[in-house]
Amino acid sequence: MARTDFAILLEGFFLQWMGAGRRLSKQTIPSYRDAFSLFLRWMRDSNGVDAAGMTMDEFSSDRVEAFMLHLTEVRGNSASTANCRLSALKAFCGYASYRAPDRIAQLKRIKDIPRRTEKRGEVAYLTREEYGWLCDACGGGDRGAVDHLMIALLFSTRARISELVRLKVRDFSLSAGKGQVRIFGKGRKERTLPPWPEIAREVERYVSAKCLGADDYLFEGRNV
């Protein structure tokens, strides 16, 4: 069977666009692949359209809307999961718009499909008193000092655990007990934050006591 226009564009999207040195997270490609696998199976089961023979004419906003409804109403996916699937389809539309400009209006209708509203629970947080209890529970010695510093940095910078363990000495800019810490987050996003002055001083003492160099991880372990 000859490749269809949809097949050619989808192949280019995965093999060329996604592999062209873009700063994508490790989860993005598998997530996008799963989204299209689900969409193509739904097209086969609900519309009688075989994946190998699908054309761009059949990739419409009405069908994408119906697919989104299928995800939430039939599969029971959360709004967050459904939005991830929709993001994959929209990313493909962005790629296809430049390869098939005659389809721009059609693709824009898909890109304009609104995301599902995600329910967000109240964000839990520790009070300053509860933070003090955690620090008091760290105990003494080297292990206690490490635990105390980890908790203090998490609390004062709002860093994630995964971000914390990747911190290197060079990510800190400290001077006279003040300074900033550069944190590399999810999706390789970078942000710079000022830790509390007392925490900055604690970092200085810790680095000095451990004789750490600029390229050393702040905390020993399986840093990835």
Side-chain angles (χ1 to χ4, degrees):
M1 179 184 292
R3 293 192 301 165
T4 64
D5 52 355
F6 179 82
I8 292 170
L9 287 169
L10 189 60
E11 182 179 285
F13 175 64
F14 278 103
L15 299 185
Q16 297 173 14
W17 186 83
M18 298 195 79
R22 283 173 174 77
R23 299 174 68 183
L24 303 174
S25 70
K26 294 179 181 178
Q27 292 78 29
T28 298
I29 295 177
S31 174
Y32 281 17
R33 187 182 296 118
D34 289 346
F36 272 95
S37 293
L38 287 171
F39 177 70
L40 291 171
R41 285 201 295 271
W42 175 80
M43 285 291 294
R44 178 197 63 196
D45 297 340
S46 299
N47 299 278
V49 177
D50 184 70
M54 182 171 168
T55 66
M56 286 298 293
D57 285 335
E58 292 157 326
F59 184 59
S60 66
S61 57
D62 289 343
R63 280 180 165 151
V64 173
E65 285 273 25
F67 172 63
M68 294 293 290
L69 192 63
H70 166 77
L71 292 178
T72 54
E73 299 297 325
V74 180
R75 291 180 61 88
N77 290 161
S78 65
S80 176
T81 299
N83 286 335
C84 286
R85 307 305 187 196
L86 181 61
S87 293
L89 301 182
K90 288 186 176 184
F92 168 72
C93 289
Y95 166 84
S97 294
Y98 291 95
R99 274 74 183 176
D102 53 310
R103 300 280 183 177
I104 283 181
Q106 171 190 345
L107 295 168
K108 187 178 184 303
R109 284 193 290 273
I110 296 174
K111 292 179 71 175
D112 288 342
I113 293 174
R115 292 167 58 86
R116 271 40 183 177
T117 301
E118 300 180 22
K119 293 181 180 178
R120 298 186 181 274
E122 183 178 347
V123 177
Y125 63 91
L126 292 176
T127 64
R128 189 66 184 256
E129 183 181 26
E130 290 169 332
Y131 161 71
W133 294 342
L134 274 178
C135 290
D136 291 342
C138 291
D142 288 343
R143 183 66 261 174
V146 172
D147 290 344
H148 185 279
L149 183 56
M150 292 182 78
I151 291 171
L153 282 170
L154 287 171
F155 196 80
S156 67
T157 65
R158 308 299 190 266
R160 299 179 177 90
I161 294 287
S162 59
E163 297 168 344
L164 183 75
V165 298
R166 289 183 173 87
L167 286 177
K168 292 188 175 184
V169 175
R170 68 175 179 225
D171 295 325
F172 289 85
S173 176
L174 304 172
S175 177
K178 299 180 180 179
Q180 296 178 325
V181 56
R182 183 176 53 177
I183 297 174
F184 297 93
K186 220 175 163 183
R188 300 185 182 181
K189 293 179 181 177
E190 179 182 335
R191 63 189 189 278
T192 301
L193 299 167
W196 296 338
E198 62 268 31
I199 307 305
R201 290 192 291 270
E202 187 174 348
V203 172
E204 284 187 302
R205 291 193 298 268
Y206 176 88
V207 170
S208 177
K210 293 281 188 178
C211 299
L212 299 178
D215 291 326
D216 290 331
Y217 285 102
L218 190 64
F219 301 109
E220 297 177 353
R222 295 188 303 167
N223 309 88
V224 178

